[in-house]
Amino acid sequence: MNIKIIFSIITILSIVSILFTGCTDKKGDGTEQTSEQAKEIYTCPMHPSVISDRPGACPVCHMDLVKKSTQTEASDAELSHLKAVSLSPTQRIIANVSTSTVERRDISKGVVAVGVVDVAEPLQAQVAARFRGRIEKLYANFTGKVVRKGEPLFELYSPDLVSAQQELILASNTIKNMKSSDANQQNLLNAIRDRLRIHFGLTENQITEIETSQKIKSSIAFHSPISGTVLAKNIQEGEYVDEGTVLYQLADLSNVWIYLDVYEKDIKDIQLNQSVKITSDAYPNEIFSGKVTFIDPSINPETRTIRVRTELKNPNGKLKPQMFVKASVIEVTKNALTIPSSAVIYTGKRNVVWIEIQTNVFEPRDVVLGATAGPLVEVLQGLSEGESVVTTGGYLIDSESQLKQTGAPTGHEGHQTETSKEKQAQTLDENEFKITVKYKYIPDVIHAKKGEKIKIAFYRDEDSKCTEEVVFPDFGIKKFLPPYKTTIIEITPKQAGEYRFHCGMDMLEGKVIVHE
């Protein structure tokens, strides 16, 4: 009986022990979870590499540390794998994040260029003196006069012309008085007519009038070869001119040429027969239309531009030669992949957009851009149709990514980090030292020997204001450090000891320890 009682007591104690242990374990798990939830991390907004488990000040810039945002929509492992940023619904509203869909559209893109109006070469003419003589009368007596084809321009007297008229009348009368036709006389008359027409420039009507009237004209009127405007008048009444003297410069301005200077980077977008829209300061509310008719085969080596010729109608004569104009060469691209231009973050060497891969989860994506058409930009590589891109709030997401993923290449820092690692992999010769400037000097202590010149290569792997200068007070050196570039500084310490160097704001410092 006693044995049964003892066995029952042992069994009860075992059950109580198991229950107590289970409760203790559950309590322990709850304590751990609470501890993890209560764990807070603080960082500097200006220097994300500074991390602390309690509030305080940044040792670099002395700004107050801020609590890092907690990620609620995705696990840390997922975000690390995707290089993504997760926002809570409240954060999304505060950051004013909005998205749009990547779509294919027909877009009209234009190359903007400046140009000069010029005369159309086929529509201009020079009037020159065919023989020596004196200007008796001017009909087109001022520059800018509009003349029609066949209108008289001037009258010219020449003794040679008078003699040629006499020969014509004599040969004509000889044939009339002959009882029978003579082939030789007829050939002579035809030769005289040809001479008056070809050499002296008389028209058929003028030659016929001289034969019919049997009168010699002391001066003969010469007519305009085209309809147009007098661009230049080089003669006066009573002036003697020699054979070949240019008397008038005429041009038909109903059609003009415009020469555009197109930059080298835009040549690929220029093709023959493309539509061109022309505007000018003289007529700001009027648009003239033309087309590309010729592209020069060579580039101007001084301006790095190519000359493009356009032709357009000018019926009212509004476009004047040598007038400056602005042109837009229009090209329509069919089915282009487009996004709003506000979605692109331009970092200098890369173009980044943020993609919403899940609800409130965003991933950076490098893109290659094409032409810009108003509020839209063409995407050549990096996106697919139907993806959602962030159109507003992208810069805030980019800032959030730097805080959440400190030390990892984010959308904005990817290229810089890669470049930094590549720079750090370089090996330097003896007495040459490499210091990377990124929130601090890495390394911040270098060793040298007294009397030996050392070369320090500062590579500034950031664009923070406080690290843009480095100062060596003992050597009187103050040097600007361009971002993402290497700057060489040479010093020769003549005494053993420690020589301090610091940033321009005296927030970062390093040492050169010189040994005997």
Side-chain angles (χ1 to χ4, degrees), residues 431-475:
N431 291 337
E432 294 187 10
F433 302 91
K434 166 68 182 293
I435 294 180
T436 300
V437 183
K438 189 169 185 179
Y439 318 128
K440 59 182 178 179
Y441 295 122
I442 308 172
D444 58 358
V445 177
I446 59 178
H447 297 267
K449 292 183 180 181
K450 183 180 73 173
E452 293 186 1
K453 182 171 70 174
I454 62 174
K455 184 185 295 184
I456 307 174
F458 285 89
Y459 177 73
R460 185 172 169 224
D461 194 18
E462 63 173 352
D463 195 12
S464 174
K465 181 71 175 176
C466 65
T467 61
E468 66 180 9
E469 288 182 335
V470 63
V471 181
F472 287 78
D474 296 311
F475 298 91

Short mmCIF file of all heavy atoms in Angstrom, two decimals, residues 431-475:
data_model
loop_
_atom_site.label_atom_id
_atom_site.label_comp_id
_atom_site.label_asym_id
_atom_site.label_seq_id
_atom_site.Cartn_x
_atom_site.Cartn_y
_atom_site.Cartn_z
N ASN A 431 56.61 54.31 -49.67
CA ASN A 431 56.46 55.73 -49.39
C ASN A 431 55.25 56.35 -50.12
O ASN A 431 55.16 57.57 -50.25
CB ASN A 431 57.73 56.52 -49.75
CG ASN A 431 58.87 56.18 -48.82
OD1 ASN A 431 58.65 55.72 -47.69
ND2 ASN A 431 60.10 56.39 -49.27
N GLU A 432 54.37 55.51 -50.62
CA GLU A 432 53.11 55.98 -51.18
C GLU A 432 51.97 55.33 -50.40
O GLU A 432 51.97 54.13 -50.16
CB GLU A 432 53.00 55.63 -52.67
CG GLU A 432 54.01 56.36 -53.54
CD GLU A 432 53.75 56.11 -55.01
OE1 GLU A 432 52.69 55.54 -55.35
OE2 GLU A 432 54.61 56.48 -55.84
N PHE A 433 51.02 56.16 -50.00
CA PHE A 433 49.94 55.68 -49.14
C PHE A 433 48.59 56.07 -49.75
O PHE A 433 48.45 57.14 -50.33
CB PHE A 433 50.07 56.29 -47.73
CG PHE A 433 51.37 55.99 -47.06
CD1 PHE A 433 52.46 56.84 -47.21
CD2 PHE A 433 51.53 54.83 -46.31
CE1 PHE A 433 53.68 56.57 -46.61
CE2 PHE A 433 52.74 54.55 -45.70
CZ PHE A 433 53.83 55.41 -45.85
N LYS A 434 47.64 55.18 -49.58
CA LYS A 434 46.28 55.41 -50.07
C LYS A 434 45.35 55.58 -48.88
O LYS A 434 45.33 54.75 -47.97
CB LYS A 434 45.82 54.21 -50.92
CG LYS A 434 44.33 54.17 -51.20
CD LYS A 434 43.91 55.32 -52.12
CE LYS A 434 42.39 55.27 -52.34
NZ LYS A 434 41.96 54.10 -53.09
N ILE A 435 44.60 56.69 -48.87
CA ILE A 435 43.61 56.96 -47.83
C ILE A 435 42.26 57.18 -48.50
O ILE A 435 42.12 58.03 -49.38
CB ILE A 435 43.99 58.19 -46.98
CG1 ILE A 435 45.27 57.90 -46.18
CG2 ILE A 435 42.86 58.57 -46.03
CD1 ILE A 435 45.73 59.06 -45.31
N THR A 436 41.28 56.40 -48.10
CA THR A 436 39.92 56.56 -48.59
C THR A 436 39.16 57.46 -47.63
O THR A 436 39.17 57.24 -46.41
CB THR A 436 39.21 55.20 -48.71
OG1 THR A 436 39.94 54.37 -49.61
CG2 THR A 436 37.79 55.37 -49.22
N VAL A 437 38.52 58.47 -48.18
CA VAL A 437 37.75 59.42 -47.38
C VAL A 437 36.28 59.08 -47.56
O VAL A 437 35.69 59.33 -48.61
CB VAL A 437 38.03 60.87 -47.80
CG1 VAL A 437 37.28 61.84 -46.89
CG2 VAL A 437 39.53 61.15 -47.78
N LYS A 438 35.70 58.49 -46.54
CA LYS A 438 34.26 58.19 -46.54
C LYS A 438 33.77 58.18 -45.10
O LYS A 438 33.92 57.19 -44.38
CB LYS A 438 33.99 56.85 -47.22
CG LYS A 438 32.50 56.59 -47.44
CD LYS A 438 32.25 55.40 -48.33
CE LYS A 438 30.76 55.27 -48.62
NZ LYS A 438 30.47 54.12 -49.51
N TYR A 439 33.24 59.32 -44.67
CA TYR A 439 32.80 59.56 -43.30
C TYR A 439 33.98 59.62 -42.32
O TYR A 439 33.82 60.07 -41.21
CB TYR A 439 31.80 58.50 -42.81
CG TYR A 439 30.77 58.11 -43.83
CD1 TYR A 439 30.54 56.79 -44.15
CD2 TYR A 439 30.03 59.08 -44.50
CE1 TYR A 439 29.59 56.42 -45.09
CE2 TYR A 439 29.08 58.73 -45.45
CZ TYR A 439 28.86 57.41 -45.74
OH TYR A 439 27.94 57.05 -46.67
N LYS A 440 35.13 59.12 -42.74
CA LYS A 440 36.34 59.16 -41.94
C LYS A 440 37.52 58.87 -42.86
O LYS A 440 37.35 58.65 -44.06
CB LYS A 440 36.27 58.14 -40.80
CG LYS A 440 36.08 56.70 -41.26
CD LYS A 440 35.96 55.77 -40.06
CE LYS A 440 35.74 54.33 -40.50
NZ LYS A 440 35.65 53.41 -39.33
N TYR A 441 38.73 58.88 -42.29
CA TYR A 441 39.93 58.56 -43.05
C TYR A 441 40.26 57.08 -42.83
O TYR A 441 40.40 56.63 -41.70
CB TYR A 441 41.12 59.42 -42.60
CG TYR A 441 40.92 60.89 -42.89
CD1 TYR A 441 40.97 61.83 -41.86
CD2 TYR A 441 40.70 61.34 -44.18
CE1 TYR A 441 40.80 63.19 -42.12
CE2 TYR A 441 40.52 62.69 -44.45
CZ TYR A 441 40.57 63.61 -43.41
OH TYR A 441 40.39 64.93 -43.68
N ILE A 442 40.38 56.35 -43.95
CA ILE A 442 40.66 54.91 -43.89
C ILE A 442 41.92 54.62 -44.71
O ILE A 442 41.86 54.71 -45.94
CB ILE A 442 39.47 54.09 -44.43
CG1 ILE A 442 38.17 54.49 -43.75
CG2 ILE A 442 39.74 52.60 -44.26
CD1 ILE A 442 36.94 53.86 -44.37
N PRO A 443 43.06 54.30 -44.04
CA PRO A 443 43.32 54.34 -42.59
C PRO A 443 43.52 55.77 -42.12
O PRO A 443 43.72 56.67 -42.93
CB PRO A 443 44.60 53.53 -42.47
CG PRO A 443 45.31 53.78 -43.76
CD PRO A 443 44.25 53.87 -44.81
N ASP A 444 43.51 55.96 -40.80
CA ASP A 444 43.71 57.30 -40.26
C ASP A 444 45.09 57.50 -39.65
O ASP A 444 45.38 58.56 -39.09
CB ASP A 444 42.63 57.63 -39.23
CG ASP A 444 42.60 56.64 -38.08
OD1 ASP A 444 43.41 55.68 -38.10
OD2 ASP A 444 41.77 56.80 -37.18
N VAL A 445 45.94 56.47 -39.75
CA VAL A 445 47.32 56.58 -39.26
C VAL A 445 48.25 55.95 -40.30
O VAL A 445 48.02 54.83 -40.76
CB VAL A 445 47.51 55.86 -37.91
CG1 VAL A 445 48.97 55.93 -37.47
CG2 VAL A 445 46.60 56.48 -36.84
N ILE A 446 49.28 56.71 -40.68
CA ILE A 446 50.31 56.17 -41.57
C ILE A 446 51.68 56.46 -40.95
O ILE A 446 51.84 57.40 -40.16
CB ILE A 446 50.21 56.78 -42.97
CG1 ILE A 446 50.37 58.30 -42.93
CG2 ILE A 446 48.92 56.41 -43.66
CD1 ILE A 446 50.33 58.96 -44.31
N HIS A 447 52.66 55.63 -41.30
CA HIS A 447 54.00 55.74 -40.73
C HIS A 447 54.99 56.11 -41.82
O HIS A 447 54.91 55.62 -42.95
CB HIS A 447 54.41 54.42 -40.07
CG HIS A 447 53.53 54.05 -38.91
ND1 HIS A 447 53.83 54.39 -37.61
CD2 HIS A 447 52.35 53.37 -38.86
CE1 HIS A 447 52.89 53.93 -36.81
NE2 HIS A 447 51.97 53.30 -37.55
N ALA A 448 55.93 56.98 -41.46
CA ALA A 448 56.94 57.43 -42.42
C ALA A 448 58.27 57.59 -41.71
O ALA A 448 58.36 57.52 -40.47
CB ALA A 448 56.49 58.75 -43.05
N LYS A 449 59.31 57.81 -42.53
CA LYS A 449 60.65 58.03 -41.99
C LYS A 449 61.05 59.48 -42.14
O LYS A 449 60.70 60.13 -43.13
CB LYS A 449 61.66 57.13 -42.72
CG LYS A 449 61.47 55.65 -42.42
CD LYS A 449 62.55 54.83 -43.12
CE LYS A 449 62.37 53.34 -42.82
NZ LYS A 449 63.43 52.52 -43.48
N LYS A 450 61.80 59.95 -41.20
CA LYS A 450 62.24 61.34 -41.20
C LYS A 450 63.08 61.64 -42.44
O LYS A 450 63.97 60.86 -42.80
CB LYS A 450 63.05 61.64 -39.94
CG LYS A 450 63.48 63.10 -39.81
CD LYS A 450 64.27 63.34 -38.55
CE LYS A 450 65.66 62.73 -38.67
NZ LYS A 450 66.50 63.11 -37.51
N GLY A 451 62.80 62.76 -43.10
CA GLY A 451 63.60 63.20 -44.24
C GLY A 451 63.21 62.58 -45.57
O GLY A 451 63.75 62.98 -46.61
N GLU A 452 62.32 61.61 -45.55
CA GLU A 452 61.91 60.97 -46.81
C GLU A 452 60.56 61.53 -47.26
O GLU A 452 59.62 61.65 -46.47
CB GLU A 452 61.81 59.46 -46.64
CG GLU A 452 63.15 58.79 -46.39
CD GLU A 452 63.02 57.28 -46.37
OE1 GLU A 452 61.89 56.76 -46.57
OE2 GLU A 452 64.04 56.60 -46.13
N LYS A 453 60.48 61.85 -48.55
CA LYS A 453 59.24 62.38 -49.11
C LYS A 453 58.22 61.26 -49.23
O LYS A 453 58.53 60.17 -49.69
CB LYS A 453 59.49 63.01 -50.48
CG LYS A 453 58.23 63.62 -51.10
CD LYS A 453 58.55 64.43 -52.34
CE LYS A 453 58.96 63.52 -53.48
NZ LYS A 453 59.13 64.26 -54.75
N ILE A 454 57.02 61.54 -48.78
CA ILE A 454 55.95 60.56 -48.91
C ILE A 454 54.84 61.15 -49.78
O ILE A 454 54.65 62.37 -49.85
CB ILE A 454 55.37 60.14 -47.54
CG1 ILE A 454 54.76 61.34 -46.82
CG2 ILE A 454 56.43 59.48 -46.69
CD1 ILE A 454 54.04 60.96 -45.53
N LYS A 455 54.14 60.26 -50.45
CA LYS A 455 53.05 60.65 -51.34
C LYS A 455 51.77 60.02 -50.79
O LYS A 455 51.69 58.80 -50.64
CB LYS A 455 53.33 60.18 -52.76
CG LYS A 455 52.28 60.63 -53.77
CD LYS A 455 52.56 60.04 -55.15
CE LYS A 455 53.85 60.57 -55.72
NZ LYS A 455 54.07 60.07 -57.10
N ILE A 456 50.78 60.84 -50.51
CA ILE A 456 49.51 60.37 -49.96
C ILE A 456 48.42 60.59 -51.01
O ILE A 456 48.20 61.72 -51.47
CB ILE A 456 49.14 61.10 -48.65
CG1 ILE A 456 50.29 61.01 -47.65
CG2 ILE A 456 47.88 60.51 -48.05
CD1 ILE A 456 50.06 61.81 -46.39
N ALA A 457 47.75 59.50 -51.39
CA ALA A 457 46.68 59.57 -52.39
C ALA A 457 45.34 59.52 -51.65
O ALA A 457 44.96 58.50 -51.09
CB ALA A 457 46.78 58.42 -53.38
N PHE A 458 44.64 60.65 -51.62
CA PHE A 458 43.33 60.72 -50.99
C PHE A 458 42.26 60.43 -52.04
O PHE A 458 42.14 61.17 -53.02
CB PHE A 458 43.09 62.12 -50.40
CG PHE A 458 43.84 62.38 -49.12
CD1 PHE A 458 45.13 62.90 -49.16
CD2 PHE A 458 43.27 62.10 -47.89
CE1 PHE A 458 45.83 63.15 -47.99
CE2 PHE A 458 43.97 62.35 -46.72
CZ PHE A 458 45.25 62.87 -46.77
N TYR A 459 41.53 59.35 -51.83
CA TYR A 459 40.38 59.07 -52.71
C TYR A 459 39.11 59.36 -51.93
O TYR A 459 38.79 58.69 -50.95
CB TYR A 459 40.36 57.63 -53.20
CG TYR A 459 39.13 57.33 -54.03
CD1 TYR A 459 39.00 57.84 -55.33
CD2 TYR A 459 38.07 56.60 -53.51
CE1 TYR A 459 37.88 57.60 -56.08
CE2 TYR A 459 36.93 56.35 -54.26
CZ TYR A 459 36.84 56.85 -55.55
OH TYR A 459 35.71 56.63 -56.30
N ARG A 460 38.38 60.37 -52.35
CA ARG A 460 37.17 60.80 -51.64
C ARG A 460 35.96 60.07 -52.21
O ARG A 460 35.50 60.38 -53.31
CB ARG A 460 37.00 62.31 -51.76
CG ARG A 460 35.84 62.88 -50.96
CD ARG A 460 35.86 64.39 -50.99
NE ARG A 460 34.64 64.97 -50.47
CZ ARG A 460 33.99 65.97 -51.03
NH1 ARG A 460 34.47 66.52 -52.14
NH2 ARG A 460 32.88 66.43 -50.51
N ASP A 461 35.48 59.09 -51.46
CA ASP A 461 34.41 58.21 -51.93
C ASP A 461 33.05 58.69 -51.42
O ASP A 461 32.23 57.91 -50.95
CB ASP A 461 34.68 56.78 -51.46
CG ASP A 461 33.80 55.77 -52.19
OD1 ASP A 461 33.27 56.13 -53.25
OD2 ASP A 461 33.65 54.66 -51.68
N GLU A 462 32.79 59.99 -51.51
CA GLU A 462 31.52 60.56 -51.10
C GLU A 462 31.48 62.01 -51.57
O GLU A 462 32.45 62.52 -52.14
CB GLU A 462 31.36 60.50 -49.58
CG GLU A 462 32.41 61.34 -48.84
CD GLU A 462 32.14 61.42 -47.35
OE1 GLU A 462 31.07 60.97 -46.92
OE2 GLU A 462 33.00 61.96 -46.63
N ASP A 463 30.33 62.65 -51.34
CA ASP A 463 30.18 64.05 -51.72
C ASP A 463 29.67 64.87 -50.54
O ASP A 463 28.85 65.76 -50.69
CB ASP A 463 29.22 64.16 -52.91
CG ASP A 463 29.30 65.53 -53.58
OD1 ASP A 463 30.24 66.27 -53.26
OD2 ASP A 463 28.42 65.85 -54.39
N SER A 464 30.16 64.55 -49.34
CA SER A 464 29.74 65.24 -48.14
C SER A 464 30.50 66.56 -48.01
O SER A 464 31.69 66.65 -48.34
CB SER A 464 29.99 64.35 -46.91
OG SER A 464 29.71 65.07 -45.73
N LYS A 465 29.81 67.57 -47.51
CA LYS A 465 30.41 68.90 -47.39
C LYS A 465 31.60 68.91 -46.44
O LYS A 465 32.60 69.59 -46.69
CB LYS A 465 29.33 69.88 -46.89
CG LYS A 465 29.81 71.31 -46.75
CD LYS A 465 30.03 71.96 -48.10
CE LYS A 465 30.38 73.44 -47.94
NZ LYS A 465 30.70 74.06 -49.24
N CYS A 466 31.51 68.14 -45.37
CA CYS A 466 32.53 68.25 -44.32
C CYS A 466 33.85 67.60 -44.72
O CYS A 466 34.86 67.78 -44.04
CB CYS A 466 32.02 67.65 -43.01
SG CYS A 466 31.73 65.88 -43.09
N THR A 467 33.90 66.83 -45.81
CA THR A 467 35.16 66.17 -46.19
C THR A 467 35.73 66.72 -47.50
O THR A 467 36.59 66.09 -48.09
CB THR A 467 34.94 64.67 -46.34
OG1 THR A 467 33.96 64.41 -47.36
CG2 THR A 467 34.48 64.05 -45.04
N GLU A 468 35.25 67.87 -47.94
CA GLU A 468 35.70 68.35 -49.24
C GLU A 468 37.10 68.98 -49.21
O GLU A 468 37.66 69.27 -50.26
CB GLU A 468 34.70 69.37 -49.78
CG GLU A 468 34.61 70.65 -48.99
CD GLU A 468 33.61 71.62 -49.59
OE1 GLU A 468 32.87 71.22 -50.51
OE2 GLU A 468 33.55 72.78 -49.13
N GLU A 469 37.67 69.17 -48.01
CA GLU A 469 39.02 69.72 -47.89
C GLU A 469 39.83 68.87 -46.91
O GLU A 469 39.28 68.29 -45.97
CB GLU A 469 39.00 71.17 -47.41
CG GLU A 469 38.51 72.16 -48.44
CD GLU A 469 38.56 73.58 -47.93
OE1 GLU A 469 38.53 73.80 -46.69
OE2 GLU A 469 38.64 74.49 -48.76
N VAL A 470 41.13 68.82 -47.15
CA VAL A 470 42.04 68.21 -46.19
C VAL A 470 43.13 69.23 -45.86
O VAL A 470 43.61 69.94 -46.75
CB VAL A 470 42.64 66.90 -46.73
CG1 VAL A 470 43.49 67.14 -47.95
CG2 VAL A 470 43.46 66.20 -45.64
N VAL A 471 43.49 69.30 -44.58
CA VAL A 471 44.43 70.32 -44.11
C VAL A 471 45.57 69.64 -43.37
O VAL A 471 45.34 68.80 -42.48
CB VAL A 471 43.72 71.34 -43.19
CG1 VAL A 471 44.72 72.41 -42.73
CG2 VAL A 471 42.53 71.97 -43.89
N PHE A 472 46.81 70.00 -43.74
CA PHE A 472 48.02 69.61 -43.00
C PHE A 472 48.57 70.89 -42.38
O PHE A 472 49.36 71.61 -43.02
CB PHE A 472 49.05 68.98 -43.93
CG PHE A 472 48.71 67.59 -44.39
CD1 PHE A 472 47.77 67.37 -45.39
CD2 PHE A 472 49.32 66.48 -43.81
CE1 PHE A 472 47.46 66.10 -45.81
CE2 PHE A 472 49.01 65.20 -44.24
CZ PHE A 472 48.07 64.99 -45.23
N PRO A 473 48.16 71.25 -41.17
CA PRO A 473 48.56 72.56 -40.59
C PRO A 473 50.06 72.70 -40.41
O PRO A 473 50.60 73.80 -40.56
CB PRO A 473 47.81 72.58 -39.24
CG PRO A 473 47.47 71.15 -38.95
CD PRO A 473 47.29 70.49 -40.26
N ASP A 474 50.78 71.61 -40.10
CA ASP A 474 52.22 71.72 -39.87
C ASP A 474 52.98 71.96 -41.17
O ASP A 474 54.15 72.41 -41.13
CB ASP A 474 52.74 70.44 -39.20
CG ASP A 474 52.15 70.23 -37.82
OD1 ASP A 474 52.17 71.20 -37.03
OD2 ASP A 474 51.63 69.13 -37.55
N PHE A 475 52.38 71.66 -42.30
CA PHE A 475 53.05 71.84 -43.59
C PHE A 475 52.43 72.97 -44.41
O PHE A 475 52.84 73.22 -45.56
CB PHE A 475 52.99 70.55 -44.40
CG PHE A 475 53.70 69.39 -43.74
CD1 PHE A 475 53.03 68.53 -42.88
CD2 PHE A 475 55.06 69.19 -43.94
CE1 PHE A 475 53.67 67.48 -42.27
CE2 PHE A 475 55.72 68.13 -43.33
CZ PHE A 475 55.02 67.28 -42.48
#
